[in-house]
Amino acid sequence: RTLDCARRRAANLFIEQCQSNDGLWSCCGQTLQTKAEAFKHAHSDHGDELQQEASRVYRQYQDAEAIKIDNKTFRKRRSKKGSSDPISTECDCDISDYTVILFYLYQSIESPDQVAEQHYQLCSQFSITGKVRVAHEGVNVTLAGTNDAIGQYIKYIVDRLHLEDRDPYDFFKPSSGCVHVFEDLSVKVVEEICPLNADVALSTLLTASHKEGKLPPAKFHEMLQRQDVLILDTRNYYESRIGKFEGAITPATRKFARFPAWVERNKEALDGKVVLTYCTGGIRCEKASAYLRQTLSTDTQVWMLDGGIHNYLEWSKKAEIEPLWKGKNYVFDARQSTGNQGTISNCQVCQQPCARYVKCSRQCHLLIICCATCEAKHEQMVCCDSCDGRTGMCKCEKLRRQEEATPIKTSPMKSDQNIQTDAFFT
């Protein structure tokens, strides 16, 4: 990267910040009609600012050896194998000054490495934390930053991905939370932005017939009240333990890649039914619904909740309608959950209502529902008394696998299965 390149980048960043919604540029009380005029004004009236920004960008380029495309850093693990992300945080931030966003887009991307680097540079510039996953099939993003930083990021993404026709609130799914809900910024190039371990072509996800299977929250709410539907949670078992739609079938899968095998075991129960699928923000149920359509018979009706649980709860709040969702909406960051609709789970120690997770102290990474009072009383919390932290086949993991392998009941409406064992503490 040359200094000239850094200067051009600095000028581009400056005029992007000056661009208004009407496509013009405003700065120093002037309205500039063209990009050329904006550049001229920037260089003539803001030379010192541009030089400072260019120096910062140039230093960033110099430090970017670790993220160059040709060394494939975006394809490496960001943390040690066997480790896992924090599920709690302590800070004094005023969350009204921050925003967390969650979005995905299935779209053909010719150069995932280039898109990954663009995201890295943009997020680093604005001190944004979170996770970005890029593949040839699209992007999967969850980020946190100041309100201004996230606003600048959204503006960039809308322009780059041509999302002008999307409702930004529904698409980016903003929620409360500061930068500390993520430990750092992780940008990776992956094979799938949502690994299913099954062949679902991108072209299938872009067809008109697939898009017609997306139900807005109001229609999904209406469908939930029918007696001839199967409500299918496409999330992981630890997510559905603390929140779900009433009567939903909640597969005891530990990761999304196990969903196809679960479907194969339950094809007879699902075939020919009206199936309503859902997940946190839509990315998993979108791919899951496509997989169900290509796996089950043609007389099976498969629908998905567009925008996921997040948009459903936002819709019910705006519409002032009592949601059919019960409990919390699990999220993959240190907040653990959003959307408080009561508590459906209990502390595994004292059995009092609780939806708070801690990790097994023996590092098997299984999550334990445990209240703060019980955690404070004990030096260690362990998922069960048989856990040794190595094999992953403790008593509660064996119970989960048995539950995952058990066929569901064939009648629609309703399943209330939830795996829970008593935690063991020392």
Side-chain angles (χ1 to χ4, degrees):
R1 303 281 187 174
T2 65
L3 185 55
D4 286 340
C5 183
R7 287 170 178 158
R8 288 194 296 271
R9 176 63 178 158
N12 277 315
L13 290 171
F14 183 89
I15 68 166
E16 283 178 10
Q17 294 174 3
C18 297
Q19 190 170 19
S20 54
N21 293 332
D22 58 8
L24 303 179
W25 291 262
S26 299
C27 188
C28 301
Q30 303 179 51
T31 299
L32 308 167
Q33 302 291 326
T34 66
K35 184 178 286 189
E37 290 180 9
F39 274 120
K40 184 177 180 180
H41 171 78
H43 285 288
S44 63
D45 289 35
H46 300 277
D48 290 342
E49 296 171 51
L50 293 183
Q51 183 58 44
Q52 290 179 7
E53 179 65 11
S55 298
R56 187 194 66 79
V57 172
Y58 184 64
R59 288 194 300 271
Q60 193 176 63
Y61 285 160
Q62 288 181 313
D63 294 338
E65 291 300 317
I67 62 159
K68 281 185 177 179
I69 294 173
D70 56 9
N71 74 5
K72 302 189 185 302
T73 295
F74 289 128
R75 298 175 186 271
K76 295 179 180 178
R77 294 187 64 91
R78 70 185 180 95
S79 56
K80 183 180 178 181
K81 187 174 182 180
S83 63
S84 61
D85 293 326
I87 59 170
S88 63
T89 187
E90 294 183 6
C91 68
D92 298 321
C93 295
D94 182 351
I95 62 172
S96 65
D97 296 331
Y98 298 86
T99 301
V100 178
I101 56 173
L102 166 70
F103 75 95
Y104 72 95
L105 183 66
Y106 285 113
Q107 181 185 78
S108 179
I109 294 179
E110 183 176 350
S111 177
D113 291 281
Q114 185 176 6
V115 173
E117 185 176 22
Q118 290 169 350
H119 274 80
Y120 183 92
Q121 297 289 356
L122 185 66
C123 292
S124 298
Q125 175 190 347
F126 292 114
S127 301
I128 292 173
T129 61
K131 300 176 184 178
V132 178
R133 299 294 179 260
V134 188
H136 286 292
E137 68 176 5
V139 294
N140 181 14
V141 179
T142 175
L143 297 171
T146 64
N147 297 332
D148 180 65
I150 294 298
Q152 293 290 340
Y153 175 87
I154 288 176
K155 182 179 179 181
Y156 173 86
I157 294 299
V158 167
D159 179 60
R160 296 290 295 185
L161 298 181
H162 310 292
L163 303 174
E164 294 82 0
D165 60 334
R166 303 290 187 102
D167 182 321
Y169 193 85
D170 287 345
F171 183 77
F172 290 100
K173 307 177 190 68
S175 59
S176 298
C178 73
V179 291
H180 300 110
V181 302
F182 297 104
E183 189 174 33
D184 52 22
L185 173 66
S186 168
V187 181
K188 287 182 64 177
V189 173
V190 293
E191 291 299 316
E192 295 180 81
I193 57 173
C194 183
L196 179 62
N197 195 31
D199 185 19
V200 176
L202 175 61
S203 58
T204 301
L205 301 175
L206 301 179
T207 61
S209 58
H210 173 76
K211 293 178 180 178
E212 289 169 359
K214 298 182 178 182
L215 296 178
K219 184 62 178 178
F220 193 86
H221 181 81
E222 179 185 322
M223 293 280 285
L224 285 172
Q225 299 172 74
R226 287 173 45 171
Q227 295 300 308
D228 63 337
V229 299
L230 287 175
I231 307 167
L232 180 56
D233 194 327
T234 63
R235 303 173 302 155
N236 303 316
Y237 81 99
Y238 52 85
E239 299 173 76
S240 58
R241 286 174 70 185
I242 64 171
K244 60 185 177 180
F245 282 107
E246 188 174 0
I249 296 168
T250 56
T253 49
R254 194 172 176 179
K255 57 184 179 180
F256 188 51
R258 295 293 302 164
F259 183 75
W262 182 90
V263 170
E264 189 63 32
R265 286 192 297 273
N266 292 282
K267 283 180 69 173
E268 185 177 349
L270 299 170
D271 220 17
K273 303 296 194 304
V274 179
V275 183
L276 304 180
T277 66
Y278 70 90
C279 65
T280 307
I283 187 171
R284 284 177 286 182
C285 60
E286 176 147 359
K287 190 172 277 190
S289 62
Y291 176 77
L292 288 170
R293 289 192 195 98
Q294 70 184 36
T295 302
L296 303 176
S297 63
T298 55
D299 59 345
T300 306
Q301 296 182 45
V302 182
W303 307 91
M304 65 161 282
L305 174 56
D306 195 16
I309 302 159
H310 180 279
N311 280 7
Y312 174 84
L313 293 176
E314 289 298 309
W315 164 81
S316 66
K317 188 189 308 179
K318 291 179 182 177
E320 297 183 348
I321 290 176
E322 184 67 25
L324 298 176
W325 174 263
K326 304 299 180 185
K328 311 291 193 299
N329 181 22
Y330 184 93
V331 291
F332 290 90
D333 60 58
R335 295 173 298 171
Q336 295 193 16
S337 65
T338 61
N340 186 4
Q341 294 297 321
T343 303
I344 67 169
S345 50
N346 298 321
C347 172
Q348 292 173 237
V349 181
C350 68
Q351 304 305 315
Q352 293 299 307
C354 176
R356 177 181 179 270
Y357 273 120
V358 298
K359 289 182 181 179
C360 176
S361 298
R362 292 181 180 167
Q363 299 302 308
C364 72
H365 303 299
L366 290 181
L367 296 175
I368 306 165
I369 299 177
C370 178
C371 67
T373 301
C374 288
E375 183 184 21
K377 288 180 180 179
H378 307 289
E379 184 178 345
Q380 288 188 322
M381 297 301 304
V382 183
C383 60
C384 63
D385 56 7
S386 65
C387 179
D388 62 11
R390 295 187 299 274
T391 65
M393 283 298 289
C394 58
K395 181 172 64 178
C396 49
E397 174 62 6
K398 289 179 180 179
L399 177 61
R400 184 201 65 78
R401 294 190 183 192
Q402 291 170 5
E403 186 65 41
E404 181 182 354
T406 302
I408 62 174
K409 298 178 181 179
T410 56
S411 60
M413 305 282 288
K414 308 269 185 162
S415 170
D416 288 305
Q417 300 167 345
N418 248 339
I419 302 169
Q420 183 158 313
T421 58
D422 291 338
F424 176 71
F425 50 85
T426 61

